[in-house]
Amino acid sequence: MKTPLLAALMAVTVLTACSSVRESKINPMNWFGKSKSEETVIVMPESGILDNRPLVDDVLTLRVERTPGGAIITATGLPQRQGYWAADLVAEYDEKPVNGVLTYQFRTYPPAVPYPAGTQQSREITAAVFVTDQTLDGVRSIVVKGATNQRSSRR
């Protein structure tokens, strides 16, 4: 009678500890939190970005999702009008973190012919990039820059 009771008590104790691990920094799903919006500071990196596409006006969302071998960085931007295409997150500083910050610029091609502005939902454009664990080593924050704002996600 004592053995099943002892086993049940141990199982309950172990299971109650699961909730604290779920919210701790040990859990890789918690490594990057929600993003926050900041004013954009455009500084031309030393490596020089050869991409002449304009920056998207506003960066609306930024998500960092852990995957085996790295993370997927996904950003949604809002250009001025409909018709923008070929959106990319272009890495600054050859995708090397500077002071623990990995920075990307949200760039996209404008439409060839003018389109109406349209609703916000019809103008939203999404871009994503996969980043390896080696690149993320030592990264404390990820920043995606637009023309008028930038969003960051911290570990």
Side-chain angles (χ1 to χ4, degrees), residues 54-105:
L55 291 169
V56 73
D57 284 347
D58 293 317
V59 180
L60 300 176
T61 64
L62 171 63
R63 285 190 336 252
V64 181
E65 299 172 2
R66 296 291 299 174
T67 61
I72 298 173
I73 302 169
T74 307
T76 301
L78 185 66
Q80 295 174 350
R81 317 187 138 273
Q82 292 178 354
Y84 279 74
W85 57 284
D88 287 312
L89 298 177
V90 180
E92 290 185 354
Y93 305 104
D94 295 324
E95 205 170 32
K96 291 182 177 63
V98 176
N99 297 327
V101 179
L102 188 60
T103 308
Y104 291 89
Q105 294 180 0

Side-chain angles (χ1 to χ4, degrees), residues 4-14:
L5 181 62
L6 184 61
L9 187 59
M10 286 178 54
V12 168
T13 304
V14 169

Side-chain angles (χ1 to χ4, degrees), residues 29-51:
M29 300 303 283
N30 295 336
W31 284 359
F32 288 98
K34 294 189 177 205
S35 67
K36 64 178 183 173
S37 181
E38 302 166 343
E39 186 177 323
T40 299
V41 178
I42 300 293
V43 177
M44 289 309 293
E46 296 168 8
S47 63
I49 294 177
L50 300 176
D51 196 334

